[in-house]
Amino acid sequence: MTGSTKYIFVTGGVTSSLGKGIISASLAKLLQARGFTVTIQKLDPYINVDPGTLNPYEHGECYVTEDGAETDLDLGHYERFLDVPTSKANNVTTGRIYQNVISKERRGEYLGKTVQVIPHITDEIKAHIQALGRKGIYDFVITEVGGTVGDIESLPYIESIRQLKWAKGKDCLAIHLTLLPYLGTTGELKTKPTQHSVKELLSLGVQPDVLVCRTEHPMQKGMKEKIALFCNVDAEAVIESRDAETIYDVPLLMQQEKLDEVVLKKLGVANYPEADLGAWKDFLRRYKEPKGDVHIGLVGKYVELKDAYKSIKEALEHAGAANELKVHIKWVHSEKLTVKNVAKHLGGLAGVLVAPGFGHRGIEGKIEAIKYARENKVPFLGICLGMQCAVIEFGRNVLAYADANSTEMNADTTHPVIAMMEEQKSVADKGGTMRLGAYACKLEDGSLARSIYNKRDITERHRHRYEFNNAYLGAYEKAGMMATGINPQGKLVEIVELKDHPWFIGVQFHPEYRSTVAKPHPLFIAFVQAAMKQAVKTVEKAEA
Ligand code: GLN
C-alpha cells in the first residue's frame, strides 16, 4: 500500500474477556487476505514488566517470541492467525513503560523537567505504538489495549489514543468492542451498557469509529440503527459478533459483517483486492469435518485453567486438522496421578503429552505418566519440563538411580540428571533471565526427529533454566535413551528419544509456539499420526 501506515486501536468495554485478541487477529487476517501487511501489538496496563513472572493462574500461558520476549498469550493468537512472527515490540506493559521513563529520567534525558504522566508516559506509549509503524513494512498496525475502558490503569493508554487520533487524523481508527447482554425474562438484547461504555470513552476524548458488539443471539431489527444514533457511529459500522463454534470461524463471521470493508473505507483506503481466504477455509473444512477421532491425555498441573496450555491445545488442534482427525484432549491433573491410578487415568488414550512447568508441584505424577507411556509403548511427547521428567523417569526406573532428579526439585540429589545451565548460575533476578527465544538445534541422522522435520538444522523457541546434565549422556545412550537434537554452540541436549519405543520424544524447547493455522507444527502432526496408529492397534487388539 502506498502512503503512511494506518493505526487501528481496539479497546474493550462493559466486561473483560470479550475476545479483543480474537477480533484484532480476525481483522488482521482479513486485511492480510487482501494483500496488506499487518502486525498486531498488545498494550497491557499492569505493572509487571512482562508476564514472565506471572503465575498462569493469574494470566494464562506466557507466550515466547522468536527474539525471546515473554509476552501475553494474545500474541499467540496473532501468530497463529497471521503466520507472521511477533517480537518484543509487539507487547508492552505499564511496568515496561514506567521502567523506560524512569531510566531516562535517571540518565538526565528530561533535562530538568518535571516528569509526568502527560506528556512523558503518554509519549513513551505513543513511541511504542509507532515503533512498529516506523519500520516501514506494515500497512496496518493494530493495537489492542488490555483491560476495560473505565479502569484507572488504562487511562494513559486511552489518552495516548486520543492524542494520536488528533495528530494523525484519517490515519487512525478506533474500534470499541462491547457486549449486548441478553435478558432471559424479556427475551431481549440490551444496548444500554454499550451506550454507557461509549460515553465513558467519549468522556476521555475518544470517539469510536467502529463498534463490535458481542452477542449470544442475533441482533434485533433496528438495533444497529439505535446504537448508531446513541453513539455517533454509522449504522454500517455497528458490527454484530455472534458467539462462534470456534475462534477460527471469527474471521469469516467478521467478513460477512464487512468489518474489513468498513475499516478500509473509514481509513480512506480504496481499490483493494478481494480477500483470498482459500487456505483458511480449507483448514476450517478439515477441522470441522474430521474423518476420525483421537484421544490424547495432556498431563499438567494447571489443567483446571485451560488457558495455561493455550498454545499446546491449539497446536494439537492444528495437527488434528492436518490429519483430518478430531483431537479430544483429556486434561489430566498431574498432582492426582499415582502409581495406583495411572492406568485408570491414561488407559485407552492414544497418546500422552506431558506439559511444561516450573517447581516441584505435580512432577511425581508427570513421572508416573511417562513411566506408563514408556512401558506400554504409548506415543509420548514431553515438552520442556515434560522432557526433563522423561529423563528423570528413565534415570530412576531404567538406570536405577533411585533419587535421580532435577536440581530445581532437589538440590541435594546424588543423581542430578537435570541441572542448572552454567550461564544461569550467576543470575539472581527472576524476570526475563531464562534461556529465552529461538536457538539452533542439529538433528541426529537416522533419528525420529530428523525424519519428522525432514531437515538437519532447525531452530525452536526456549524458556528454561535447567538442562540435561551431559555427565550422564553416555550412560543414558547405552541404556537406550538417545540425544537426537543438540544445540551446536553449547552442546546442550535439546531432544531425547527412546530406541525401544514406537514414538517417544522429549523436547527441551516449545514447539507449540511455532504452530500456526497455515503451518501446523511437524512434531505435533507426527504425534497425532502416531496416536492414530496406536488407536487403530488398540481396536485391532480388542477385536482379536
Ligand atoms: N522448570 C524447568 C526449567 O526451568 C522447565 C521450564 C519449562 O517447562 N518451560 O528448566
Side-chain angles (χ1 to χ4, degrees):
M1 187 170 80
T2 48
S4 43
T5 300
K6 309 280 186 193
Y7 293 91
I8 300 170
F9 301 101
V10 180
T11 56
V14 183
T15 74
S16 57
S17 307
L18 286 182
K20 289 190 294 281
I22 300 298
I23 291 294
S24 303
S26 299
L27 173 60
K29 186 76 222 168
L30 293 176
L31 294 170
Q32 186 193 50
R34 290 185 186 276
F36 295 112
T37 51
V38 196
T39 189
I40 319 175
Q41 69 180 169
K42 173 94 190 272
L43 305 180
D44 274 312
Y46 49 73
I47 316 282
N48 304 62
V49 172
D50 61 45
T53 53
L54 282 171
N55 184 323
Y57 286 124
E58 294 277 323
H59 208 64
E61 166 188 281
C62 173
Y63 187 78
V64 178
T65 58
E66 288 291 298
D67 62 351
E70 295 175 282
T71 72
D72 186 78
L73 56 75
D74 271 337
L75 272 75
H77 291 308
Y78 307 161
E79 290 202 13
R80 288 188 281 274
F81 275 56
L82 296 183
D83 194 34
V84 176
T86 53
S87 71
K88 283 190 170 78
N90 292 73
N91 189 200
V92 177
T93 69
T94 294
R96 169 88 64 201
I97 297 283
Y98 271 81
Q99 193 183 47
N100 291 351
V101 169
I102 291 168
S103 310
K104 284 186 191 166
E105 186 274 330
R106 293 289 81 186
R107 291 197 299 268
E109 288 183 26
Y110 295 113
L111 305 174
K113 288 261 183 238
T114 308
V115 180
Q116 295 179 299
V117 173
I118 303 171
H120 301 100
I121 294 297
T122 48
D123 279 354
E124 189 68 25
I125 294 173
K126 287 193 293 180
H128 269 284
I129 292 172
Q130 294 176 95
L132 285 165
R134 286 210 187 89
K135 286 186 167 176
I137 40 179
Y138 300 114
D139 299 322
F140 295 93
V141 173
I142 300 179
T143 303
E144 178 194 343
V145 181
T148 309
V149 166
D151 295 347
I152 291 176
E153 291 94 336
S154 42
L155 288 175
Y157 295 99
I158 306 296
E159 168 61 13
S160 303
I161 295 175
R162 186 194 68 76
Q163 293 177 18
L164 275 173
K165 275 196 99 191
W166 176 248
K168 289 189 173 288
K170 255 217 167 288
D171 282 342
C172 283
L173 178 122
I175 299 179
H176 190 53
L177 179 62
T178 73
L179 174 73
L180 301 176
Y182 179 76
L183 285 194
T185 43
T186 53
E188 278 180 307
L189 292 172
K190 304 306 286 184
T191 66
K192 196 69 84 189
T194 297
Q195 296 175 38
H196 281 287
S197 178
V198 172
K199 279 216 176 78
E200 186 76 37
L201 252 187
L202 283 169
S203 76
L204 302 171
V206 175
Q207 166 67 58
D209 303 288
V210 177
L211 291 175
V212 177
C213 304
R214 281 293 306 272
T215 168
E216 282 175 56
H217 300 276
M219 282 168 85
Q220 294 125 19
K221 206 167 168 296
M223 191 168 260
K224 287 190 175 180
E225 288 72 16
K226 180 178 174 187
I227 293 172
L229 179 69
F230 278 99
C231 301
N232 322 326
V233 173
D234 296 329
E236 64 165 19
V238 179
I239 305 287
E240 173 180 320
S241 171
R242 288 270 295 284
D243 291 358
E245 188 189 322
T246 149
I247 53 171
Y248 299 114
D249 273 336
V250 180
L252 300 180
L253 295 173
M254 289 301 101
Q255 188 185 38
Q256 279 164 23
E257 282 283 304
K258 300 192 176 10
L259 173 64
D260 54 334
E261 285 180 51
V262 170
V263 163
L264 288 166
K265 188 165 143 194
K266 289 199 171 288
L267 285 167
V269 183
N271 301 326
Y272 41 79
E274 284 297 306
D276 176 7
L277 286 164
W280 190 269
K281 287 181 184 159
D282 188 47
F283 163 82
L284 269 178
R285 184 194 50 76
R286 279 179 283 118
Y287 182 68
K288 288 187 172 181
E289 294 164 24
K291 301 207 162 71
D293 297 86
V294 62
H295 294 263
I296 287 176
L298 194 155
V299 182
K301 66 175 165 178
Y302 299 112
V303 290
E304 59 279 53
L305 181 89
K306 316 262 179 306
D307 269 2
Y309 304 113
K310 190 89 197 162
S311 295
I312 294 178
K313 174 179 169 288
E314 298 305 318
L316 282 170
E317 297 200 351
H318 301 160
N323 286 300
E324 302 199 58
L325 293 170
K326 166 110 187 105
V327 176
H328 301 267
I329 301 177
K330 177 173 179 187
W331 303 86
V332 182
H333 205 305
S334 52
E335 270 186 303
K336 298 201 177 120
L337 278 185
T338 62
V339 64
K340 284 211 183 95
N341 67 21
V342 67
K344 191 179 112 219
H345 283 288
L346 303 183
L349 290 171
V352 172
L353 189 154
V354 175
F358 292 83
H360 184 267
R361 190 166 69 87
I363 89 144
E364 295 303 324
K366 286 184 171 175
I367 291 168
E368 282 308 330
I370 295 164
K371 180 167 188 271
Y372 177 89
R374 180 176 59 77
E375 291 181 344
N376 293 285
K377 309 256 185 271
V378 179
F380 165 80
L381 178 59
I383 299 180
C384 208
L385 182 62
M387 171 266 199
Q388 297 177 352
C389 287
V391 171
I392 296 168
E393 191 279 323
F394 195 84
R396 288 185 191 172
N397 300 320
V398 178
L399 289 163
Y401 304 151
D403 71 341
N405 218 327
S406 162
T407 53
E408 180 183 4
M409 318 303 164
N410 175 7
D412 302 322
T413 170
T414 55
H415 289 287
V417 292
I418 302 290
M420 189 173 268
M421 286 184 284
E422 213 38 60
E423 60 271 33
Q424 291 287 330
K425 288 187 177 152
S426 56
V427 177
D429 280 1
K430 289 274 186 236
T433 54
M434 280 181 265
R435 182 176 184 231
L436 289 164
Y439 284 88
C441 173
K442 207 173 195 49
L443 304 178
E444 200 61 44
D445 281 339
S447 65
L448 184 55
R450 174 79 173 79
S451 71
I452 289 169
Y453 280 90
N454 201 20
K455 52 182 169 185
R456 188 171 298 141
D457 295 299
I458 60 162
T459 67
E460 288 282 5
R461 297 183 206 174
H462 292 250
R463 182 176 186 242
H464 61 115
R465 288 194 176 84
Y466 297 82
E467 57 163 324
F468 184 97
N469 183 347
N470 275 330
Y472 289 92
L473 187 55
Y476 270 76
E477 295 213 319
K478 220 163 129 198
M481 180 174 268
M482 318 305 287
T484 60
I486 304 282
N487 169 254
Q489 281 86 42
K491 300 282 167 252
L492 304 179
V493 173
E494 311 283 35
I495 306 179
V496 293
E497 288 179 28
L498 282 185
K499 245 189 187 162
D500 186 23
H501 193 288
W503 210 101
F504 188 105
I505 295 188
V507 290
Q508 186 57 82
F509 47 79
H510 291 264
E512 69 275 21
Y513 295 144
R514 280 266 185 94
S515 182
T516 69
V517 165
K519 291 196 201 83
H521 195 286
L523 262 183
F524 282 89
I525 297 178
F527 176 53
V528 169
Q529 257 163 19
M532 191 60 210
K533 268 194 214 146
Q534 172 82 11
V536 171
K537 246 194 289 169
T538 314
V539 171
E540 281 170 0
K541 228 199 257 163
E543 282 170 357

